[in-house]
Short mmCIF file of all heavy atoms in Angstrom, two decimals:
data_model
loop_
_atom_site.label_atom_id
_atom_site.label_comp_id
_atom_site.label_asym_id
_atom_site.label_seq_id
_atom_site.Cartn_x
_atom_site.Cartn_y
_atom_site.Cartn_z
N MET A 1 50.85 -46.50 -43.38
CA MET A 1 51.25 -45.16 -43.07
C MET A 1 52.67 -45.20 -42.52
O MET A 1 53.01 -46.04 -41.70
CB MET A 1 50.32 -44.57 -41.99
CG MET A 1 50.81 -43.23 -41.49
SD MET A 1 49.93 -42.54 -40.06
CE MET A 1 48.28 -42.48 -40.59
N ASP A 2 53.52 -44.32 -43.05
CA ASP A 2 54.87 -44.23 -42.58
C ASP A 2 54.94 -43.32 -41.33
O ASP A 2 54.42 -42.22 -41.35
CB ASP A 2 55.80 -43.64 -43.64
CG ASP A 2 55.96 -44.58 -44.81
OD1 ASP A 2 55.89 -45.79 -44.60
OD2 ASP A 2 56.19 -44.09 -45.92
N ILE A 3 55.53 -43.84 -40.26
CA ILE A 3 55.70 -43.09 -39.04
C ILE A 3 57.20 -43.11 -38.73
O ILE A 3 57.83 -44.15 -38.64
CB ILE A 3 54.92 -43.75 -37.85
CG1 ILE A 3 53.44 -43.78 -38.20
CG2 ILE A 3 55.16 -42.98 -36.57
CD1 ILE A 3 52.59 -44.57 -37.20
N ALA A 4 57.79 -41.88 -38.56
CA ALA A 4 59.21 -41.77 -38.32
C ALA A 4 59.46 -41.07 -37.02
O ALA A 4 58.72 -40.15 -36.62
CB ALA A 4 59.86 -40.98 -39.46
N ILE A 5 60.49 -41.53 -36.31
CA ILE A 5 60.95 -40.90 -35.06
C ILE A 5 62.34 -40.41 -35.27
O ILE A 5 63.21 -41.16 -35.76
CB ILE A 5 60.91 -41.89 -33.90
CG1 ILE A 5 59.51 -42.47 -33.72
CG2 ILE A 5 61.39 -41.22 -32.59
CD1 ILE A 5 59.48 -43.61 -32.71
N GLN A 6 62.57 -39.14 -34.95
CA GLN A 6 63.94 -38.61 -35.09
C GLN A 6 64.27 -37.64 -34.01
O GLN A 6 63.38 -36.98 -33.47
CB GLN A 6 64.11 -37.99 -36.49
CG GLN A 6 63.17 -36.82 -36.75
CD GLN A 6 63.30 -36.33 -38.17
OE1 GLN A 6 64.17 -36.79 -38.93
NE2 GLN A 6 62.46 -35.43 -38.55
N GLN A 7 65.55 -37.55 -33.68
CA GLN A 7 66.05 -36.58 -32.69
C GLN A 7 66.42 -35.32 -33.46
O GLN A 7 67.09 -35.40 -34.50
CB GLN A 7 67.24 -37.16 -31.95
CG GLN A 7 67.66 -36.25 -30.80
CD GLN A 7 68.81 -36.89 -30.01
OE1 GLN A 7 69.47 -37.80 -30.47
NE2 GLN A 7 68.98 -36.41 -28.79
N VAL A 8 65.99 -34.18 -32.95
CA VAL A 8 66.30 -32.90 -33.60
C VAL A 8 66.77 -31.90 -32.56
O VAL A 8 66.48 -32.02 -31.37
CB VAL A 8 65.06 -32.35 -34.36
CG1 VAL A 8 64.66 -33.24 -35.50
CG2 VAL A 8 63.90 -32.13 -33.43
N SER A 9 67.51 -30.91 -33.05
CA SER A 9 67.95 -29.84 -32.20
C SER A 9 67.09 -28.60 -32.52
O SER A 9 67.00 -28.21 -33.68
CB SER A 9 69.42 -29.51 -32.46
OG SER A 9 69.86 -28.45 -31.64
N ARG A 10 66.45 -28.06 -31.51
CA ARG A 10 65.53 -26.93 -31.75
C ARG A 10 65.75 -25.93 -30.62
O ARG A 10 65.53 -26.23 -29.45
CB ARG A 10 64.13 -27.46 -31.75
CG ARG A 10 63.12 -26.47 -32.21
CD ARG A 10 61.81 -27.21 -32.51
NE ARG A 10 60.69 -26.38 -32.11
CZ ARG A 10 59.45 -26.74 -32.30
NH1 ARG A 10 59.15 -27.91 -32.84
NH2 ARG A 10 58.50 -25.96 -31.92
N GLY A 11 66.16 -24.75 -31.04
CA GLY A 11 66.37 -23.67 -30.02
C GLY A 11 67.47 -24.02 -29.03
O GLY A 11 67.41 -23.67 -27.88
N GLY A 12 68.46 -24.81 -29.52
CA GLY A 12 69.56 -25.18 -28.65
C GLY A 12 69.26 -26.38 -27.73
O GLY A 12 70.08 -26.78 -26.93
N LYS A 13 68.06 -26.91 -27.83
CA LYS A 13 67.67 -28.08 -27.03
C LYS A 13 67.40 -29.26 -27.92
O LYS A 13 66.93 -29.11 -29.03
CB LYS A 13 66.40 -27.77 -26.23
CG LYS A 13 66.58 -26.68 -25.18
CD LYS A 13 65.30 -26.51 -24.39
CE LYS A 13 65.49 -25.45 -23.33
NZ LYS A 13 64.29 -25.28 -22.51
N GLU A 14 67.72 -30.42 -27.40
CA GLU A 14 67.48 -31.69 -28.10
C GLU A 14 66.05 -32.12 -27.81
O GLU A 14 65.62 -32.08 -26.68
CB GLU A 14 68.47 -32.73 -27.70
CG GLU A 14 69.91 -32.44 -28.05
CD GLU A 14 70.14 -32.38 -29.54
OE1 GLU A 14 69.63 -33.26 -30.27
OE2 GLU A 14 70.83 -31.44 -29.98
N GLU A 15 65.33 -32.52 -28.82
CA GLU A 15 64.00 -33.08 -28.63
C GLU A 15 63.80 -34.19 -29.68
O GLU A 15 64.59 -34.37 -30.57
CB GLU A 15 62.91 -32.03 -28.72
CG GLU A 15 62.72 -31.38 -30.09
CD GLU A 15 61.55 -30.37 -30.12
OE1 GLU A 15 61.30 -29.74 -29.09
OE2 GLU A 15 60.96 -30.26 -31.18
N TRP A 16 62.73 -34.88 -29.51
CA TRP A 16 62.35 -35.97 -30.42
C TRP A 16 61.07 -35.60 -31.17
O TRP A 16 60.21 -34.92 -30.59
CB TRP A 16 62.18 -37.26 -29.62
CG TRP A 16 63.45 -37.75 -29.05
CD1 TRP A 16 64.05 -37.36 -27.91
CD2 TRP A 16 64.32 -38.70 -29.66
NE1 TRP A 16 65.22 -38.00 -27.71
CE2 TRP A 16 65.44 -38.83 -28.80
CE3 TRP A 16 64.27 -39.46 -30.81
CZ2 TRP A 16 66.47 -39.71 -29.07
CZ3 TRP A 16 65.35 -40.30 -31.09
CH2 TRP A 16 66.40 -40.41 -30.21
N GLN A 17 60.99 -36.01 -32.39
CA GLN A 17 59.83 -35.72 -33.19
C GLN A 17 59.29 -37.00 -33.81
O GLN A 17 60.05 -37.84 -34.25
CB GLN A 17 60.18 -34.79 -34.38
CG GLN A 17 60.20 -33.36 -34.04
CD GLN A 17 60.42 -32.51 -35.30
OE1 GLN A 17 60.79 -33.00 -36.39
NE2 GLN A 17 60.22 -31.22 -35.16
N VAL A 18 57.95 -37.10 -33.80
CA VAL A 18 57.27 -38.19 -34.51
C VAL A 18 56.64 -37.54 -35.72
O VAL A 18 55.94 -36.53 -35.58
CB VAL A 18 56.20 -38.86 -33.63
CG1 VAL A 18 55.47 -39.92 -34.46
CG2 VAL A 18 56.88 -39.51 -32.40
N GLU A 19 56.92 -38.09 -36.91
CA GLU A 19 56.35 -37.52 -38.12
C GLU A 19 55.51 -38.56 -38.82
O GLU A 19 55.91 -39.69 -39.00
CB GLU A 19 57.48 -37.06 -39.07
CG GLU A 19 56.97 -36.39 -40.29
CD GLU A 19 58.08 -35.82 -41.19
OE1 GLU A 19 59.26 -35.94 -40.85
OE2 GLU A 19 57.72 -35.28 -42.23
N ALA A 20 54.28 -38.10 -39.19
CA ALA A 20 53.37 -38.98 -39.94
C ALA A 20 52.47 -38.05 -40.79
O ALA A 20 51.97 -37.04 -40.30
CB ALA A 20 52.55 -39.81 -38.98
N LEU A 21 52.27 -38.42 -42.06
CA LEU A 21 51.44 -37.70 -42.96
C LEU A 21 51.78 -36.20 -43.03
O LEU A 21 50.95 -35.35 -43.12
CB LEU A 21 49.94 -37.84 -42.55
CG LEU A 21 49.39 -39.25 -42.61
CD1 LEU A 21 47.99 -39.27 -42.03
CD2 LEU A 21 49.37 -39.76 -44.03
N GLY A 22 53.10 -35.93 -42.94
CA GLY A 22 53.55 -34.55 -43.05
C GLY A 22 53.41 -33.72 -41.78
O GLY A 22 53.74 -32.55 -41.76
N MET A 23 52.88 -34.32 -40.73
CA MET A 23 52.74 -33.61 -39.45
C MET A 23 53.84 -34.07 -38.51
O MET A 23 54.23 -35.23 -38.48
CB MET A 23 51.40 -33.94 -38.82
CG MET A 23 50.23 -33.45 -39.65
SD MET A 23 48.63 -33.87 -38.91
CE MET A 23 48.53 -35.58 -39.45
N LYS A 24 54.39 -33.13 -37.78
CA LYS A 24 55.46 -33.40 -36.80
C LYS A 24 54.98 -33.06 -35.42
O LYS A 24 54.49 -31.97 -35.15
CB LYS A 24 56.68 -32.55 -37.15
CG LYS A 24 57.26 -32.91 -38.50
CD LYS A 24 58.45 -32.05 -38.84
CE LYS A 24 58.94 -32.37 -40.25
NZ LYS A 24 60.04 -31.51 -40.66
N VAL A 25 55.13 -34.05 -34.50
CA VAL A 25 54.73 -33.85 -33.11
C VAL A 25 55.98 -33.94 -32.25
O VAL A 25 56.67 -34.94 -32.23
CB VAL A 25 53.70 -34.92 -32.69
CG1 VAL A 25 53.25 -34.70 -31.27
CG2 VAL A 25 52.53 -34.94 -33.66
N PRO A 26 56.29 -32.87 -31.48
CA PRO A 26 57.52 -32.83 -30.70
C PRO A 26 57.32 -33.53 -29.32
O PRO A 26 56.26 -33.45 -28.74
CB PRO A 26 57.80 -31.35 -30.51
CG PRO A 26 56.45 -30.71 -30.57
CD PRO A 26 55.64 -31.55 -31.51
N PHE A 27 58.41 -34.12 -28.81
CA PHE A 27 58.43 -34.74 -27.48
C PHE A 27 59.76 -34.40 -26.79
O PHE A 27 60.77 -34.23 -27.46
CB PHE A 27 58.28 -36.25 -27.58
CG PHE A 27 56.90 -36.66 -28.11
CD1 PHE A 27 56.69 -36.81 -29.46
CD2 PHE A 27 55.85 -36.86 -27.21
CE1 PHE A 27 55.43 -37.17 -29.94
CE2 PHE A 27 54.60 -37.23 -27.70
CZ PHE A 27 54.40 -37.37 -29.05
N ARG A 28 59.73 -34.36 -25.48
CA ARG A 28 60.96 -34.02 -24.74
C ARG A 28 61.92 -35.19 -24.64
O ARG A 28 63.13 -34.99 -24.48
CB ARG A 28 60.57 -33.58 -23.32
CG ARG A 28 59.86 -32.26 -23.29
CD ARG A 28 59.56 -31.81 -21.90
NE ARG A 28 58.81 -30.57 -21.89
CZ ARG A 28 58.14 -30.13 -20.92
NH1 ARG A 28 58.10 -30.80 -19.75
NH2 ARG A 28 57.47 -28.98 -21.01
N ASP A 29 61.40 -36.44 -24.71
CA ASP A 29 62.29 -37.55 -24.57
C ASP A 29 61.89 -38.68 -25.56
O ASP A 29 60.79 -38.70 -26.08
CB ASP A 29 62.28 -38.09 -23.16
CG ASP A 29 60.90 -38.45 -22.66
OD1 ASP A 29 60.37 -39.48 -23.17
OD2 ASP A 29 60.36 -37.73 -21.82
N ARG A 30 62.84 -39.56 -25.81
CA ARG A 30 62.64 -40.64 -26.78
C ARG A 30 61.54 -41.61 -26.38
O ARG A 30 60.76 -42.04 -27.18
CB ARG A 30 63.97 -41.39 -26.93
CG ARG A 30 63.90 -42.49 -27.97
CD ARG A 30 65.24 -43.25 -28.10
NE ARG A 30 65.23 -44.21 -29.14
CZ ARG A 30 64.73 -45.45 -29.03
NH1 ARG A 30 64.28 -45.86 -27.88
NH2 ARG A 30 64.77 -46.27 -30.06
N ALA A 31 61.47 -41.89 -25.07
CA ALA A 31 60.46 -42.84 -24.60
C ALA A 31 59.04 -42.36 -24.89
O ALA A 31 58.18 -43.11 -25.32
CB ALA A 31 60.63 -43.10 -23.10
N SER A 32 58.80 -41.07 -24.69
CA SER A 32 57.47 -40.52 -24.99
C SER A 32 57.17 -40.55 -26.48
O SER A 32 56.06 -40.84 -26.87
CB SER A 32 57.39 -39.05 -24.46
OG SER A 32 57.58 -39.01 -23.10
N ALA A 33 58.17 -40.21 -27.26
CA ALA A 33 57.98 -40.26 -28.74
C ALA A 33 57.71 -41.65 -29.21
O ALA A 33 56.81 -41.87 -30.04
CB ALA A 33 59.23 -39.68 -29.44
N LEU A 34 58.43 -42.61 -28.69
CA LEU A 34 58.25 -44.01 -29.06
C LEU A 34 56.87 -44.52 -28.64
O LEU A 34 56.17 -45.20 -29.43
CB LEU A 34 59.35 -44.89 -28.45
CG LEU A 34 59.37 -46.33 -28.83
CD1 LEU A 34 59.50 -46.51 -30.36
CD2 LEU A 34 60.50 -47.05 -28.15
N ALA A 35 56.45 -44.19 -27.44
CA ALA A 35 55.12 -44.61 -26.96
C ALA A 35 54.00 -44.06 -27.82
O ALA A 35 53.05 -44.75 -28.20
CB ALA A 35 54.92 -44.16 -25.52
N PHE A 36 54.16 -42.80 -28.23
CA PHE A 36 53.17 -42.19 -29.10
C PHE A 36 53.14 -42.84 -30.45
O PHE A 36 52.08 -43.15 -31.01
CB PHE A 36 53.49 -40.68 -29.28
CG PHE A 36 52.58 -39.98 -30.20
CD1 PHE A 36 51.33 -39.52 -29.81
CD2 PHE A 36 52.97 -39.73 -31.52
CE1 PHE A 36 50.46 -38.84 -30.66
CE2 PHE A 36 52.11 -39.06 -32.43
CZ PHE A 36 50.87 -38.62 -31.98
N ALA A 37 54.30 -43.12 -31.03
CA ALA A 37 54.40 -43.75 -32.35
C ALA A 37 53.79 -45.14 -32.33
O ALA A 37 53.10 -45.56 -33.24
CB ALA A 37 55.85 -43.79 -32.81
N VAL A 38 54.07 -45.92 -31.26
CA VAL A 38 53.51 -47.25 -31.16
C VAL A 38 52.02 -47.19 -31.07
O VAL A 38 51.29 -47.95 -31.74
CB VAL A 38 54.12 -47.99 -29.91
CG1 VAL A 38 53.34 -49.27 -29.62
CG2 VAL A 38 55.59 -48.31 -30.20
N ARG A 39 51.46 -46.30 -30.24
CA ARG A 39 50.03 -46.17 -30.08
C ARG A 39 49.37 -45.72 -31.38
O ARG A 39 48.31 -46.20 -31.77
CB ARG A 39 49.72 -45.18 -28.96
CG ARG A 39 48.27 -45.03 -28.65
CD ARG A 39 47.74 -46.29 -27.99
NE ARG A 39 46.38 -46.02 -27.56
CZ ARG A 39 45.41 -46.91 -27.65
NH1 ARG A 39 45.65 -48.11 -28.10
NH2 ARG A 39 44.20 -46.64 -27.20
N LEU A 40 50.01 -44.80 -32.07
CA LEU A 40 49.48 -44.33 -33.36
C LEU A 40 49.41 -45.46 -34.36
O LEU A 40 48.40 -45.67 -35.04
CB LEU A 40 50.32 -43.21 -33.90
CG LEU A 40 49.95 -42.61 -35.26
CD1 LEU A 40 48.52 -42.03 -35.22
CD2 LEU A 40 50.96 -41.53 -35.64
N GLN A 41 50.44 -46.26 -34.42
CA GLN A 41 50.50 -47.42 -35.37
C GLN A 41 49.38 -48.41 -35.02
O GLN A 41 48.70 -48.96 -35.88
CB GLN A 41 51.85 -48.08 -35.33
CG GLN A 41 52.01 -49.15 -36.35
CD GLN A 41 52.03 -48.59 -37.76
OE1 GLN A 41 52.61 -47.53 -38.02
NE2 GLN A 41 51.39 -49.27 -38.70
N GLU A 42 49.16 -48.66 -33.70
CA GLU A 42 48.10 -49.56 -33.29
C GLU A 42 46.74 -49.06 -33.71
O GLU A 42 45.88 -49.81 -34.18
CB GLU A 42 48.12 -49.73 -31.73
CG GLU A 42 49.25 -50.53 -31.21
CD GLU A 42 49.37 -50.49 -29.67
OE1 GLU A 42 48.64 -49.70 -29.04
OE2 GLU A 42 50.14 -51.26 -29.14
N ARG A 43 46.54 -47.78 -33.57
CA ARG A 43 45.23 -47.19 -33.98
C ARG A 43 45.03 -47.23 -35.46
O ARG A 43 43.92 -47.47 -35.94
CB ARG A 43 45.11 -45.77 -33.45
CG ARG A 43 44.92 -45.74 -31.93
CD ARG A 43 44.77 -44.33 -31.46
NE ARG A 43 44.49 -44.35 -30.04
CZ ARG A 43 44.11 -43.31 -29.34
NH1 ARG A 43 43.95 -42.12 -29.92
NH2 ARG A 43 43.89 -43.38 -28.06
N VAL A 44 46.10 -47.04 -36.20
CA VAL A 44 46.01 -47.07 -37.68
C VAL A 44 45.64 -48.50 -38.15
O VAL A 44 44.83 -48.68 -39.04
CB VAL A 44 47.33 -46.57 -38.32
CG1 VAL A 44 47.36 -46.91 -39.80
CG2 VAL A 44 47.49 -45.08 -38.11
N GLU A 45 46.24 -49.47 -37.50
CA GLU A 45 46.03 -50.85 -37.89
C GLU A 45 44.77 -51.49 -37.33
O GLU A 45 44.37 -52.57 -37.79
CB GLU A 45 47.24 -51.67 -37.47
CG GLU A 45 48.53 -51.33 -38.22
CD GLU A 45 49.74 -52.06 -37.72
OE1 GLU A 45 49.68 -52.74 -36.66
OE2 GLU A 45 50.81 -51.91 -38.36
N ALA A 46 44.10 -50.83 -36.41
CA ALA A 46 42.87 -51.33 -35.82
C ALA A 46 41.76 -51.35 -36.82
O ALA A 46 41.74 -50.51 -37.76
CB ALA A 46 42.48 -50.48 -34.60
N PRO A 47 40.83 -52.33 -36.69
CA PRO A 47 39.69 -52.33 -37.63
C PRO A 47 38.84 -51.08 -37.45
O PRO A 47 38.67 -50.57 -36.34
CB PRO A 47 38.90 -53.56 -37.20
CG PRO A 47 39.59 -54.14 -36.00
CD PRO A 47 40.79 -53.34 -35.71
N HIS A 48 38.36 -50.58 -38.56
CA HIS A 48 37.51 -49.40 -38.56
C HIS A 48 36.24 -49.71 -39.30
O HIS A 48 36.25 -50.33 -40.36
CB HIS A 48 38.18 -48.19 -39.23
CG HIS A 48 39.41 -47.73 -38.50
ND1 HIS A 48 40.63 -48.30 -38.62
CD2 HIS A 48 39.54 -46.73 -37.61
CE1 HIS A 48 41.48 -47.68 -37.84
NE2 HIS A 48 40.87 -46.73 -37.22
N TRP A 49 35.10 -49.32 -38.74
CA TRP A 49 33.80 -49.57 -39.35
C TRP A 49 33.20 -48.26 -39.80
O TRP A 49 33.22 -47.28 -39.08
CB TRP A 49 32.88 -50.27 -38.37
CG TRP A 49 33.44 -51.53 -37.87
CD1 TRP A 49 34.00 -51.73 -36.65
CD2 TRP A 49 33.58 -52.76 -38.56
NE1 TRP A 49 34.45 -53.00 -36.51
CE2 TRP A 49 34.22 -53.66 -37.69
CE3 TRP A 49 33.21 -53.20 -39.79
CZ2 TRP A 49 34.49 -55.00 -38.05
CZ3 TRP A 49 33.51 -54.51 -40.14
CH2 TRP A 49 34.12 -55.38 -39.28
N LEU A 50 32.66 -48.23 -40.99
CA LEU A 50 31.99 -47.09 -41.50
C LEU A 50 30.52 -47.13 -41.12
O LEU A 50 29.91 -48.19 -41.28
CB LEU A 50 32.14 -46.96 -43.01
CG LEU A 50 33.59 -46.79 -43.52
CD1 LEU A 50 33.62 -46.85 -45.04
CD2 LEU A 50 34.13 -45.47 -43.03
N PRO A 51 29.96 -46.03 -40.65
CA PRO A 51 28.53 -46.04 -40.30
C PRO A 51 27.69 -46.46 -41.48
O PRO A 51 27.91 -46.06 -42.61
CB PRO A 51 28.26 -44.58 -39.95
CG PRO A 51 29.60 -43.98 -39.63
CD PRO A 51 30.57 -44.73 -40.46
N GLY A 52 26.70 -47.32 -41.18
CA GLY A 52 25.78 -47.78 -42.24
C GLY A 52 26.27 -48.98 -42.99
O GLY A 52 25.47 -49.76 -43.51
N LEU A 53 27.55 -49.23 -43.03
CA LEU A 53 28.12 -50.35 -43.76
C LEU A 53 27.74 -51.68 -43.06
O LEU A 53 27.38 -52.62 -43.73
CB LEU A 53 29.62 -50.23 -43.88
CG LEU A 53 30.23 -50.82 -45.11
CD1 LEU A 53 29.63 -50.25 -46.38
CD2 LEU A 53 31.72 -50.60 -45.11
N ALA A 54 27.80 -51.70 -41.73
CA ALA A 54 27.46 -52.90 -40.98
C ALA A 54 25.99 -53.21 -41.18
O ALA A 54 25.60 -54.38 -41.36
CB ALA A 54 27.82 -52.77 -39.54
N GLN A 55 25.12 -52.20 -41.12
CA GLN A 55 23.68 -52.42 -41.29
C GLN A 55 23.39 -52.95 -42.70
O GLN A 55 22.60 -53.83 -42.90
CB GLN A 55 22.91 -51.14 -41.06
CG GLN A 55 22.81 -50.74 -39.62
CD GLN A 55 22.05 -49.46 -39.43
OE1 GLN A 55 22.11 -48.58 -40.31
NE2 GLN A 55 21.35 -49.34 -38.33
N GLN A 56 24.08 -52.36 -43.70
CA GLN A 56 23.83 -52.78 -45.08
C GLN A 56 24.24 -54.25 -45.27
O GLN A 56 23.51 -55.00 -45.90
CB GLN A 56 24.69 -51.88 -46.01
CG GLN A 56 24.48 -52.20 -47.47
CD GLN A 56 25.32 -51.29 -48.37
OE1 GLN A 56 26.10 -50.49 -47.89
NE2 GLN A 56 25.17 -51.46 -49.64
N LYS A 57 25.33 -54.65 -44.68
CA LYS A 57 25.78 -56.04 -44.82
C LYS A 57 24.80 -56.99 -44.16
O LYS A 57 24.51 -58.04 -44.66
CB LYS A 57 27.19 -56.21 -44.25
CG LYS A 57 27.77 -57.56 -44.48
CD LYS A 57 29.23 -57.64 -44.14
CE LYS A 57 29.69 -59.03 -44.45
NZ LYS A 57 31.04 -59.11 -44.78
N CYS A 58 24.25 -56.60 -42.99
CA CYS A 58 23.31 -57.45 -42.28
C CYS A 58 22.00 -57.64 -43.07
O CYS A 58 21.43 -58.69 -43.08
CB CYS A 58 22.98 -56.86 -40.90
SG CYS A 58 24.36 -56.96 -39.73
N THR A 59 21.59 -56.61 -43.74
CA THR A 59 20.34 -56.69 -44.52
C THR A 59 20.52 -57.45 -45.79
O THR A 59 19.53 -57.96 -46.39
CB THR A 59 19.78 -55.30 -44.80
OG1 THR A 59 20.70 -54.56 -45.54
CG2 THR A 59 19.35 -54.56 -43.51
N GLU A 60 21.75 -57.58 -46.29
CA GLU A 60 22.02 -58.32 -47.51
C GLU A 60 21.95 -59.84 -47.29
O GLU A 60 21.71 -60.61 -48.19
CB GLU A 60 23.35 -57.93 -48.11
CG GLU A 60 23.40 -56.53 -48.68
CD GLU A 60 24.77 -56.12 -49.14
OE1 GLU A 60 25.72 -56.94 -49.02
OE2 GLU A 60 24.91 -55.00 -49.64
N ASP A 61 22.22 -60.28 -46.06
CA ASP A 61 22.27 -61.71 -45.75
C ASP A 61 20.92 -62.34 -45.70
O ASP A 61 19.90 -62.01 -45.66
CB ASP A 61 22.99 -61.98 -44.42
CG ASP A 61 24.46 -61.63 -44.56
OD1 ASP A 61 25.01 -61.62 -45.65
OD2 ASP A 61 25.09 -61.38 -43.48
#
């Protein structure tokens, strides 16, 4: 998943945006945007289990 952080001017104020999957999430400062982007990337890369899949694999062994 592509995650982008950019500084934008909105309503005369500078803010930071994190964009992923076509969604944009605004932040007041770069540190907050960066922390969100890092956490999002960690969650995307984390292992995910589908319900029933683990049970099916156990019964096949």
